[in-house]
Amino acid sequence: MRLRRLVASLLAGAVLAGCTNLDLTDPNQPSTDTFWRTTADAVAGVNAVYNGLQNNGTYGRWLVFATDLRSDVGLINSPWTDLSNFTKFTFTSYDFEVNHDLWQHHYQAIFRANQVIARVPGIAMDAALRDRIVGEAKFLRALLYFNLVTLYGNVPLITTPPELTDRPATVGPPQLWAQIEQDLTEARAVLPQAYSGADVGRATWGAATALLGKAHLQQHEWSEGEAALSEVIGSGRYDLMANYGDNFTDRFENNVESVFEVQFGDRSFLSAGTRGLNISRMVGPCGPSYCDGRPTRWYIDQFLQDTTVTGRPDPRLDYTLYYKGGSDVYGVANATYFADDTTTHNIREDTLIFFKKYGEYYLGLRDQDWDAGINFRVIRYADVLLMEAEALNELGRTAEAYPFVDRVRARVTMPPLPAGLTQAQMRDRILRERMFELGLEGQRWADLARHDLLTPALQAEDAEFQFFVAGKSELLPIPQSERDLNPNIKQNPGW
Amino acid sequence: MTRSSGLGTRCLPAGALVLLSLVPAAVGAAQTPDSVRGRVVSTSDASPVPAARVLVGGTAQGTFTDDKGEYRLELPPGARTLLFRAIGYKTLEVAIEGRAVVDVSLEAAPLTLQEQVVMGYLTQQRRDVSDASAGVTGDQVRGAQVATVEEALRGRLAGVQISASGEPGRPADVVIRGQNFLSNSAPLYVVDGMYLGQNPNLDPDDIESIEVLKDASAAAQYGAQAANGVVVIRTRRGRGDTRVELQSYYGYQQIPKRVPMMNTTDWAAIARQAYQNAGQQVIPGAANPPPISTDWQDAVFTTGAIQDHGVTVSGGTAGASYLISGGYLQQDGAIVQTGFHRYNFRINSQLQRGRLTLGETMALSSTRRQFLDGFPLIDVVRFPPAIPVRDSTTSSGFAFGSDAVPTFGTNPVGELMMQNNWGRSNQLIGTTFAELQLASSLRYRFNLGVNLEAYTQENFVHRGQLRFRDPLLPARLTSTQDERTSLLVENLLTFDRSFGSAHRLNAVAGFTEQRDTRDALVAYREGYTNENLQVIDAGQRSNLNNGGSRLENALRALLVRANYAYRDRYLFTGSLRRDGSSRFGPGNRYGTFGAASVGWVLSQERFYPSIPLLGRGVDYFKLRVSHGVLGNQDIGDYRFSAPIVQGLNYLFGSDVVASGATQLTLANPNIRWQSNRETNVGVDLGLFQSRLTVTMDYYVSTSDGLLVPAPIPPSLGVTEFPVVNAGTIRNTGFELAATHRLERGDFQLTTSLTLTTTRNRVLHLGNGGQPIFAGPFGVARTAENSPIGTFWVLQTDGIFQSAAEVQASAQPNAKPGDVRYVDRNGDGSITLDDRYAAGSAIPDVTGGLFLDGHYRRFDFTVNLRGSFGGKIFNVARYWTDRMDDISNFRQGLSPWSPTNPSTTTPRAVIGPQGASNANPLSDRWIESGSFLRIQNVALGYRVPAAVVRWLGVADAEPRVFVSVQNLYTFTGFSNWDPETLGFGDALARGIDDGAIYPNPRTITFGLDFRL
């Protein structure tokens, strides 16, 4: 009978249907249960830390806003009022995008580094490679904390993958510096002098040692700093590029002058999961870029005070800045771009100067794309030479400092420093040299801080310093979202 | 109407005419007999309906039925129809067609005690229900002329808060009995037995009834998915003679309000002040304003249109029934570029042979939604008026400012027009069942349900700049294919029996399984040389990108539910359900949920009439109490493990891509069910022969082990917040629903009132009670002992008028003209530690008033809706009133100056000196969100058959109607619409954030035709 058959099949269906599997695992990605087991996992893990350096708040976009535009060489003149306020030491919200990203993206990369440092030692793999990978992660962690301590001063120190309930407390610079030094010391013990092929760009012994020197200098530990820096110089691995400008295009990346670079790719690499350098899109010339950030008139005036051995302006000027009478602007003749045509720019001539470094003007495009394929130079050999000079001078060995500064100057045909400089004069000359050599390379804020020069007096050089409050503006405010969620965080003084 | 005015019918939209042409011509009318008699019974149980009014159609002549439901009536010449009305039943009009005997059966009307209520797995009579629930009928939904079902429910149901946006096709936000979750807000929808986690895209014309299961006892049968409440929807079935229904309407939509903004002259005057006060050079556009004054609202708002046409054919015999319907809805938004359309088809049928019943419901729909892009409703107020809309010299053809008028905003017209961002959903929702009568009171039912959705979203962005100095990016297309398959298998045993006259038991036991799979594919291309070719293949092959993923989850459960009534006096309902879900780790996979309710129909007691007052005045009195536990598993898939995220790559060597992968989130393997414990006390009253029915409920709902994406400090470096069982929320509320039916001769009026109060308190939060901040600037704070999403801001206290006032304040660096903040913690300085709770978006009281009336051939509806006590954080106002920026200013804004000692608006000063006035975390941007809205006013007229005789359809009496929705809103809120959805973040409601879409005013003309 049909009905009976139907009933039977219904019941059968009912029984068969009762086998839905509740044990479903994520088909899209592995989980922590199965990761951190192989060599490939270890390599992928440390690569992800490098990837974290490309974010907006690390080297991708905002860092130079804090280090260069905030300093006396730069300013912000943007219709984005909150962005303009940033270099005027003013916030309508401590969670303002730039401040928030700087904080969050540094800590995101630190979380990645901490995973490598905690998990990779437990992986059964080639011991040398394992040590190297852990060393790379320690170098990267130290670099990230170096930025945090110079920008924020007092921050939580997190060195292990966190638990959900962790609410890390603020610690002061001494503990942060100690961790940075320890990480770099351990890193340089295991990192190779150099890499080849598809590993070029990873952290080296030289990078860790140079950063260690830098860290000592920032703490006025001149002799320890000098020791590290002279090791780098003594290694003979590094030299200056013949042409200064070759350090700021994508054509001579990871060159002999490069101690550590953050690698960037242009927009054709976006789909490969990497990013480009956004700096010149934000702070290049008006038209090709937003020109939100600009050099100060004082900066260019300083450039023009010194000339080469043949009486010409410092060649570094034309690699660093656009100004009337300088180089062409993204294919537009300088005379045309700076014709002072009020219909195109409507900006007073004295503010018509822009940053050029890290721009892709040489590609023949009229506009700067968001993602420039130029690596950001974190530490260059020129920086190492000038740091060595600075350490020697601070140790009272002023005479020994000359050759290092002069070597940097000679590369760009600038005459040697005048003989007989006092220690104070030499200190000033080195700082100026760093300003010309390393413009927009993330050095200026730490340089000024190292010599206690961050004061309202700088308003003579950069009018934005009229808003600088001593005892407050030296450090950025801790983002409100951190304070709201972490009761153990103290806000920086004055904020 | 006369024949010549039949032109009006001819002017109907084409769609309706096509539908009309499908109508089979009927034969001419038969001769009218002298008298007619017959019997009136109830559809539900064929019991006689006494005291029903029987009227000759179109006249006041009539009679009443006797105790046996019988009547006899003399007919005047020309009488064509009879009208049957009875309290508690739907009014029915039938053609006499020459018959001498006209027997009819009346369907129970809404909200009455005899009504059959679909309470999920079981159907009960309203009078037997001891749970808390509220419902509407399809007629009430259809009367609203809106695109979606939820829009029609606004204000109708006590305890159900529905906020809709004016954005065509955007689902409304439905919150049942206060927010007891911190993530997903959607209730569970059960459509003809099929579980749907998302708002189903149903044609309002297809609705038979909607019942919202509010308390634990009603909802516990849905166990782990019921914590947000359950909406049980039943679609229409065919019954009786073949019937054809046509419905067609056409309407216009406009944003009913403009926020008055400054013209260029006024804007430039304040912008000049702002620069001069800062000691800066005035921008040329303010120094010498151009002869342009753009009203950006006029540029972005437009006259939209809505049209809806539908046809339903239904019928049935004792053993079989069918219903076939089709509909088309098209909506052009009141904001340029936006729009929505829906095609839908439905077949519901059922067949009974002997002990076996087979049936199915199947709905096919295709919708297309053109999205609102960017933040046009912030840019529409902040974009300076000195910028024109269009500029032929730019790459996009849209103007966006210059050095003369620099702005950070994006041209809102360009933002909408330069993107073609649309989503299309093709969806099949179907159920099929086989039911076998095992014994006289025992049935076995096998249910299969399916929800297939193929969703395509394409976002094509044209090449062209829309913002000052933006890079000129190539034209680009992102195409997303999202395919969703949800399956349901159920085996149910239903028992339904009366034992003598005293006992009535109905019960269900079952096993149910669900499986949900989502497959997504995303593709990206750029560099379109011909921008009319907006498909993936037309793009360049460089810089392409693609991705794909799959999400699956499964759930299975055992359930039992039983209703027992003793002598119609004592009512008991109990439910028990055990769920297993793949969303939790192996150790926490199963949860048991259950609830019970008791009802006592006091008015059935012998002693009841002797109770003073009650006994005489209140003819029906039922007390209800329920208690139970519900679950929530809505946390997304695989959240108990921490994934290793791939694609965190880097370039080494000569741009060699090196794969990177790591953990970005923290895992919480211990997450378990959230359980909501809910107690409800209610009373149902019937007064004046139940002409007035009143339902009142009071509930306390406590959610424990709240599933929360726990915010953790950014310093932990985690990108996504892990879900934890943290916290307890308590909602308490009082609900009142009253319906009154008035009948005076030809005049019938139904008045319904709903009132809902909500009190929401977070009792406990995990992570040591640490508050959660959400929304723009983290303005919405969820903390212990306060409502979810409380606005947490600085308190302002006017404007500093003098240096002396500054001196005496906690703001030593302020200047006269600056905003004064209150040093609430008294530490002598103003920091964010001085923030306070400035209210939340949760209203204290919401309500609706509905008047539905008939007079002879006329019918009318008036619907008022209100919400009181909620607050709104007005982000647009932050941009227009911050005064340290030259975004456009609101008209009438008069900044402080020594000669204009304003107490509300600070001095205009660009840049850092004005920054303290521009603090976004300030109560300057918090406004009252209370409103009273005339939601709908409608008038209908049933056209006499004689007027449309030329159609050749006998006795056809089309109804024509006109309605105005959102006629007027009484509110103090300064932006367009206090009913705001914003981004829809559950923890940050009531934020007017520029992604809003004001509800338009709609004027609709339409036609209903039943054959």
Side-chain angles (χ1 to χ4, degrees), chain B residues 223-244:
Chain B
Q225 297 161 87
N228 295 347
V230 182
V231 180
V232 178
I233 299 176
R234 189 175 152 82
T235 60
R236 296 166 69 199
R237 303 290 197 282
R239 64 167 71 86
D241 295 340
T242 298
R243 201 154 80 154
V244 179

mmCIF file of all heavy atoms in Angstrom, chain B residues 223-244:
data_model
loop_
_atom_site.group_PDB
_atom_site.id
_atom_site.type_symbol
_atom_site.label_atom_id
_atom_site.label_comp_id
_atom_site.label_asym_id
_atom_site.label_seq_id
_atom_site.Cartn_x
_atom_site.Cartn_y
_atom_site.Cartn_z
ATOM 1 N N GLY B 223 14.566 27.534 22.573
ATOM 2 C CA GLY B 223 15.780 27.325 23.359
ATOM 3 C C GLY B 223 16.917 28.282 23.139
ATOM 4 O O GLY B 223 16.872 29.447 23.510
ATOM 5 N N ALA B 224 17.951 27.764 22.491
ATOM 6 C CA ALA B 224 19.217 28.462 22.397
ATOM 7 C C ALA B 224 19.169 29.657 21.472
ATOM 8 O O ALA B 224 20.095 30.443 21.423
ATOM 9 C CB ALA B 224 20.272 27.493 21.877
ATOM 10 N N GLN B 225 18.100 29.783 20.716
ATOM 11 C CA GLN B 225 18.052 30.880 19.760
ATOM 12 C C GLN B 225 17.025 31.918 20.154
ATOM 13 O O GLN B 225 16.722 32.835 19.403
ATOM 14 C CB GLN B 225 17.718 30.321 18.368
ATOM 15 C CG GLN B 225 18.787 29.388 17.859
ATOM 16 C CD GLN B 225 18.275 28.482 16.748
ATOM 17 O OE1 GLN B 225 18.303 28.838 15.587
ATOM 18 N NE2 GLN B 225 17.789 27.322 17.120
ATOM 19 N N ALA B 226 16.474 31.767 21.369
ATOM 20 C CA ALA B 226 15.292 32.544 21.719
ATOM 21 C C ALA B 226 15.566 33.761 22.579
ATOM 22 O O ALA B 226 14.665 34.530 22.855
ATOM 23 C CB ALA B 226 14.301 31.638 22.445
ATOM 24 N N ALA B 227 16.805 33.950 22.985
ATOM 25 C CA ALA B 227 17.052 34.974 23.997
ATOM 26 C C ALA B 227 16.685 36.378 23.526
ATOM 27 O O ALA B 227 16.360 37.240 24.335
ATOM 28 C CB ALA B 227 18.512 34.940 24.440
ATOM 29 N N ASN B 228 16.747 36.618 22.250
ATOM 30 C CA ASN B 228 16.374 37.942 21.757
ATOM 31 C C ASN B 228 14.895 38.037 21.404
ATOM 32 O O ASN B 228 14.464 38.993 20.789
ATOM 33 C CB ASN B 228 17.195 38.302 20.505
ATOM 34 C CG ASN B 228 18.670 38.440 20.809
ATOM 35 O OD1 ASN B 228 19.063 38.503 21.962
ATOM 36 N ND2 ASN B 228 19.476 38.461 19.770
ATOM 37 N N GLY B 229 14.125 37.008 21.776
ATOM 38 C CA GLY B 229 12.720 36.984 21.411
ATOM 39 C C GLY B 229 12.522 36.258 20.092
ATOM 40 O O GLY B 229 13.468 36.020 19.344
ATOM 41 N N VAL B 230 11.286 35.859 19.846
ATOM 42 C CA VAL B 230 10.984 35.079 18.646
ATOM 43 C C VAL B 230 9.804 35.728 17.929
ATOM 44 O O VAL B 230 8.829 36.129 18.565
ATOM 45 C CB VAL B 230 10.631 33.619 19.018
ATOM 46 C CG1 VAL B 230 10.376 32.800 17.769
ATOM 47 C CG2 VAL B 230 11.736 32.992 19.857
ATOM 48 N N VAL B 231 9.929 35.853 16.638
ATOM 49 C CA VAL B 231 8.833 36.386 15.831
ATOM 50 C C VAL B 231 8.311 35.244 14.961
ATOM 51 O O VAL B 231 9.031 34.738 14.103
ATOM 52 C CB VAL B 231 9.319 37.551 14.945
ATOM 53 C CG1 VAL B 231 8.163 38.095 14.117
ATOM 54 C CG2 VAL B 231 9.945 38.649 15.791
ATOM 55 N N VAL B 232 7.102 34.811 15.259
ATOM 56 C CA VAL B 232 6.526 33.690 14.521
ATOM 57 C C VAL B 232 5.612 34.251 13.437
ATOM 58 O O VAL B 232 4.645 34.955 13.723
ATOM 59 C CB VAL B 232 5.733 32.764 15.468
ATOM 60 C CG1 VAL B 232 5.090 31.632 14.678
ATOM 61 C CG2 VAL B 232 6.648 32.219 16.552
ATOM 62 N N ILE B 233 5.970 33.961 12.198
ATOM 63 C CA ILE B 233 5.194 34.496 11.078
ATOM 64 C C ILE B 233 4.527 33.342 10.342
ATOM 65 O O ILE B 233 5.170 32.327 10.052
ATOM 66 C CB ILE B 233 6.107 35.273 10.109
ATOM 67 C CG1 ILE B 233 6.764 36.449 10.843
ATOM 68 C CG2 ILE B 233 5.309 35.763 8.910
ATOM 69 C CD1 ILE B 233 7.747 37.228 9.999
ATOM 70 N N ARG B 234 3.252 33.516 10.097
ATOM 71 C CA ARG B 234 2.535 32.521 9.310
ATOM 72 C C ARG B 234 2.069 33.212 8.040
ATOM 73 O O ARG B 234 1.536 34.323 8.086
ATOM 74 C CB ARG B 234 1.341 32.029 10.120
ATOM 75 C CG ARG B 234 0.644 30.860 9.519
ATOM 76 C CD ARG B 234 -0.457 30.398 10.486
ATOM 77 N NE ARG B 234 -1.526 29.769 9.734
ATOM 78 C CZ ARG B 234 -1.492 28.516 9.321
ATOM 79 N NH1 ARG B 234 -0.460 27.765 9.616
ATOM 80 N NH2 ARG B 234 -2.494 28.018 8.637
ATOM 81 N N THR B 235 2.350 32.594 6.928
ATOM 82 C CA THR B 235 1.903 33.200 5.679
ATOM 83 C C THR B 235 0.524 32.676 5.319
ATOM 84 O O THR B 235 0.050 31.678 5.875
ATOM 85 C CB THR B 235 2.884 32.923 4.529
ATOM 86 O OG1 THR B 235 2.992 31.520 4.346
ATOM 87 C CG2 THR B 235 4.262 33.498 4.853
ATOM 88 N N ARG B 236 -0.124 33.333 4.390
ATOM 89 C CA ARG B 236 -1.537 33.070 4.111
ATOM 90 C C ARG B 236 -1.730 31.725 3.403
ATOM 91 O O ARG B 236 -0.877 31.247 2.684
ATOM 92 C CB ARG B 236 -2.110 34.194 3.267
ATOM 93 C CG ARG B 236 -2.093 35.515 3.998
ATOM 94 C CD ARG B 236 -2.354 36.667 3.040
ATOM 95 N NE ARG B 236 -3.715 36.646 2.568
ATOM 96 C CZ ARG B 236 -4.128 37.287 1.483
ATOM 97 N NH1 ARG B 236 -3.271 37.980 0.769
ATOM 98 N NH2 ARG B 236 -5.384 37.234 1.115
ATOM 99 N N ARG B 237 -2.890 31.167 3.642
ATOM 100 C CA ARG B 237 -3.291 29.933 2.982
ATOM 101 C C ARG B 237 -4.577 30.201 2.215
ATOM 102 O O ARG B 237 -5.296 31.140 2.516
ATOM 103 C CB ARG B 237 -3.580 28.840 4.020
ATOM 104 C CG ARG B 237 -2.454 28.524 4.962
ATOM 105 C CD ARG B 237 -1.329 27.827 4.198
ATOM 106 N NE ARG B 237 -0.399 27.159 5.096
ATOM 107 C CZ ARG B 237 0.547 27.768 5.786
ATOM 108 N NH1 ARG B 237 0.688 29.057 5.710
ATOM 109 N NH2 ARG B 237 1.366 27.080 6.563
ATOM 110 N N GLY B 238 -4.849 29.368 1.258
ATOM 111 C CA GLY B 238 -6.127 29.500 0.557
ATOM 112 C C GLY B 238 -7.232 28.844 1.362
ATOM 113 O O GLY B 238 -6.993 27.925 2.151
ATOM 114 N N ARG B 239 -8.446 29.319 1.212
ATOM 115 C CA ARG B 239 -9.600 28.624 1.793
ATOM 116 C C ARG B 239 -10.865 29.115 1.091
ATOM 117 O O ARG B 239 -10.936 30.243 0.626
ATOM 118 C CB ARG B 239 -9.689 28.815 3.300
ATOM 119 C CG ARG B 239 -9.926 30.206 3.806
ATOM 120 C CD ARG B 239 -10.298 30.183 5.289
ATOM 121 N NE ARG B 239 -9.163 29.826 6.136
ATOM 122 C CZ ARG B 239 -8.274 30.707 6.583
ATOM 123 N NH1 ARG B 239 -8.368 31.981 6.256
ATOM 124 N NH2 ARG B 239 -7.281 30.326 7.353
ATOM 125 N N GLY B 240 -11.819 28.223 0.998
ATOM 126 C CA GLY B 240 -13.109 28.603 0.425
ATOM 127 C C GLY B 240 -13.042 28.815 -1.079
ATOM 128 O O GLY B 240 -12.180 28.272 -1.760
ATOM 129 N N ASP B 241 -13.982 29.627 -1.551
ATOM 130 C CA ASP B 241 -14.100 29.842 -2.995
ATOM 131 C C ASP B 241 -12.852 30.503 -3.547
ATOM 132 O O ASP B 241 -12.117 31.184 -2.852
ATOM 133 C CB ASP B 241 -15.306 30.751 -3.283
ATOM 134 C CG ASP B 241 -16.600 30.059 -2.894
ATOM 135 O OD1 ASP B 241 -16.583 28.814 -2.789
ATOM 136 O OD2 ASP B 241 -17.592 30.774 -2.671
ATOM 137 N N THR B 242 -12.688 30.290 -4.830
ATOM 138 C CA THR B 242 -11.551 30.913 -5.506
ATOM 139 C C THR B 242 -11.653 32.421 -5.377
ATOM 140 O O THR B 242 -12.713 33.010 -5.573
ATOM 141 C CB THR B 242 -11.567 30.529 -6.996
ATOM 142 O OG1 THR B 242 -11.439 29.117 -7.054
ATOM 143 C CG2 THR B 242 -10.420 31.192 -7.733
ATOM 144 N N ARG B 243 -10.571 33.005 -5.020
ATOM 145 C CA ARG B 243 -10.580 34.432 -4.748
ATOM 146 C C ARG B 243 -9.350 35.053 -5.408
ATOM 147 O O ARG B 243 -8.268 34.475 -5.366
ATOM 148 C CB ARG B 243 -10.513 34.634 -3.238
ATOM 149 C CG ARG B 243 -11.008 35.970 -2.789
ATOM 150 C CD ARG B 243 -11.504 35.856 -1.372
ATOM 151 N NE ARG B 243 -10.372 35.897 -0.451
ATOM 152 C CZ ARG B 243 -10.488 36.307 0.807
ATOM 153 N NH1 ARG B 243 -11.648 36.698 1.278
ATOM 154 N NH2 ARG B 243 -9.448 36.317 1.595
ATOM 155 N N VAL B 244 -9.551 36.176 -6.013
ATOM 156 C CA VAL B 244 -8.429 36.901 -6.605
ATOM 157 C C VAL B 244 -8.353 38.257 -5.926
ATOM 158 O O VAL B 244 -9.356 38.934 -5.768
ATOM 159 C CB VAL B 244 -8.627 37.089 -8.126
ATOM 160 C CG1 VAL B 244 -7.454 37.870 -8.715
ATOM 161 C CG2 VAL B 244 -8.764 35.745 -8.805
#
